[in-house]
């Protein structure tokens, strides 16, 4: 057990994006180790206790010690792990659970994760094509647990006119470099411009799902409705401690070019705070009111009128 904890601390101090915090956390854990706090624990219990002790110092929700999944890289190999992940994305629609046109010509996207566009780009483009001609759009991130920063940039690019919007920066400790993320100059399909976008959030929304919401909010491109998100802003890698235990360590940090900071530890705060289960209804009503104020086609006006009646208490 002593060696397991020591290995975890070596990885923490060598990889964590905040070296000072890593050193402080390591010192605190070493004191507990010397006091026997980790004796007699199986790996699952050890991981849970270490995670709590690291959080006490670092307050970082991405920093975790946990059992490795059956197909984790290192036991099956990087190539096998990448193939398994690609297959998971394929079988889950690249984390796009729903893409549809609602009555009143309101688009709706339910995103459970954020796929790398190298894998899910065609699915993202197809979803955006389905809602391209709607008069307002709702993006549901209430069950979104994260994904790829490149995927966030790909999604965001649909809501800005060109390649000139600076979305996010990510500083990487290992290289000492900061990568900038900008909107893309070319996209498959039409952009979604000059129409309102409503983003639904919950206290379950995490990581790249939070970045998508944060970017759109910071740039004034979307209205966020729901609850404050979970608060994990740091890109993370997993490192093996043993064959069956791993530590996930934030090796980089996000820096928003508008706010100069990120949502780590505080979450993304909605513009309109309501219980998560009510967020869709509130957003749909707002979208329908916009349609009734701006649409001219009788069919759309009739649909919007009826839908608003059905969703009004």
């Amino acid at each position: 057990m002593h060696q397991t904890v020591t290995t975890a601390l070596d990885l923490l101090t060598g990889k964590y994006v905040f070296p000072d915090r890593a050193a402080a956390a390591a010192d605190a854990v070493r004191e507990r180790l010397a006091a026997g706090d980790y004796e007699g624990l199986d790996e699952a219990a050890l991981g849970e206790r270490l995670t709590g002790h690291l959080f006490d110092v670092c307050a970082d929700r991405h920093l975790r010690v946990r059992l490795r999944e059956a197909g984790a890289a290192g036991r099956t190999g990087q190539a096998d792990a990448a193939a398994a992940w690609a297959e998971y994305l394929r079988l889950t629609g690249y984390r796009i659970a729903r893409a549809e046109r609602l009555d009143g010509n309101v688009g709706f996207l339910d995103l459970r994760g954020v796929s790398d566009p190298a894998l899910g780009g065609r699915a993202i483009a197809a979803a955006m094509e389905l809602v391209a001609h709607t008069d307002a759009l709702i993006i549901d991130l209430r069950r979104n647990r994260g994904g790829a920063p490149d995927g966030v940039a790909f999604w965001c690019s649909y809501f800005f006119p060109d390649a000139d919007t600076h979305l996010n920066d990510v500083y990487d400790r290992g290289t000492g470099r900061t990568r900038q993320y900008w909107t893309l100059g070319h996209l498959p399909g039409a952009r979604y411009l000059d129409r309102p976008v409503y983003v639904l959030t919950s206290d379950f929304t995490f990581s790249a799902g939070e970045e998508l919401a944060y970017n759109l909010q910071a740039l004034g491109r979307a209205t966020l409705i729901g609850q404050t998100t979970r608060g994990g802003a740091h890109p993370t890698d997993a490192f093996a401690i043993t064959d069956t235990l791993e530590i996930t360590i934030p090796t980089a940090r996000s820096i928003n070019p508008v706010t100069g900071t990120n949502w780590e530890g505080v979450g993304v705060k909605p513009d309109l705070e309501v219980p998560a289960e009510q967020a869709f209804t509130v957003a749909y009503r707002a979208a329908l009111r916009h349609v009734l104020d701006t649409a001219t086609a009788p069919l759309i006006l009739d649909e919007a009128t009826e839908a608003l009646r059905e969703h009004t208490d």
Side-chain angles (χ1 to χ4, degrees), residues 134-156:
T134 57
D135 292 314
L137 179 63
I138 299 170
I139 303 176
D140 191 348
L141 302 179
R142 289 175 294 178
R143 285 179 278 185
N144 192 300
R145 296 299 289 169
D150 284 318
V152 174
F154 194 79
W155 277 110
C156 285

Side-chain angles (χ1 to χ4, degrees), residues 46-285:
L46 174 64
E48 184 176 350
R49 184 166 296 182
L50 279 173
T51 296
H53 292 163
L54 294 176
F55 187 84
D56 288 342
V57 177
C58 299
D60 191 325
R61 295 189 185 278
H62 273 123
L63 186 57
R64 300 188 296 269
V65 179
R66 64 188 184 187
L67 294 177
R68 305 185 77 195
E69 295 181 1
R75 280 191 280 163
T76 62
Q78 292 287 349
D80 289 341
W85 179 246
E87 180 67 359
Y88 169 76
L89 290 176
R90 185 184 72 83
L91 292 175
T92 58
Y94 299 95
R95 311 307 290 139
I96 304 168
R98 291 171 62 190
E100 60 183 301
R101 174 196 176 277
L102 304 177
D103 285 345
N105 207 32
V106 175
F108 180 73
L109 300 172
D110 182 356
L111 309 182
R112 306 294 174 84
V114 182
S115 172
D116 190 313
L119 296 172
R122 290 193 302 170
I124 295 170
M128 288 305 301
E129 182 64 25
L130 187 64
V131 301
H133 302 291
T134 57
D135 292 314
L137 179 63
I138 299 170
I139 303 176
D140 191 348
L141 302 179
R142 289 175 294 178
R143 285 179 278 185
N144 192 300
R145 296 299 289 169
D150 284 318
V152 174
F154 194 79
W155 277 110
C156 285
S157 295
Y158 278 94
F159 304 106
F160 299 94
D162 48 39
D164 295 336
T165 301
H166 190 181
L167 297 168
N168 192 32
D169 292 336
V170 174
Y171 165 77
D172 182 83
R173 176 185 172 181
T175 64
R177 297 176 180 174
T178 298
R179 177 181 173 184
Q180 296 184 344
Y181 289 84
W182 293 70
T183 49
L184 303 177
H186 171 75
L187 290 171
R191 297 177 190 264
Y192 198 92
L193 307 175
D194 304 318
R195 286 159 287 173
V197 177
Y198 305 91
V199 174
L200 313 184
T201 61
S202 75
D203 58 4
F204 187 79
T205 310
F206 193 55
S207 195
E210 294 178 283
E211 185 195 340
L212 179 53
Y214 192 89
N215 290 354
L216 294 176
Q217 183 187 54
L219 290 162
R221 187 58 189 91
T223 300
L224 272 54
I225 300 174
Q227 292 175 303
T228 298
T229 62
R230 190 162 179 79
H234 300 150
T236 301
D237 290 320
F239 301 93
I241 301 171
T242 69
D243 285 344
T244 51
L245 197 69
E246 68 183 11
I247 182 170
T248 62
I249 302 175
T251 57
R253 61 185 176 92
S254 296
I255 308 164
N256 184 274
V258 176
T259 66
T261 184
N262 61 45
W263 58 97
E264 180 64 39
V266 296
V268 184
K269 300 184 185 303
D271 300 295
L272 181 57
E273 188 167 0
V274 299
E277 62 273 15
Q278 298 176 18
F280 171 78
T281 298
V282 173
Y284 192 26
R285 287 174 185 165

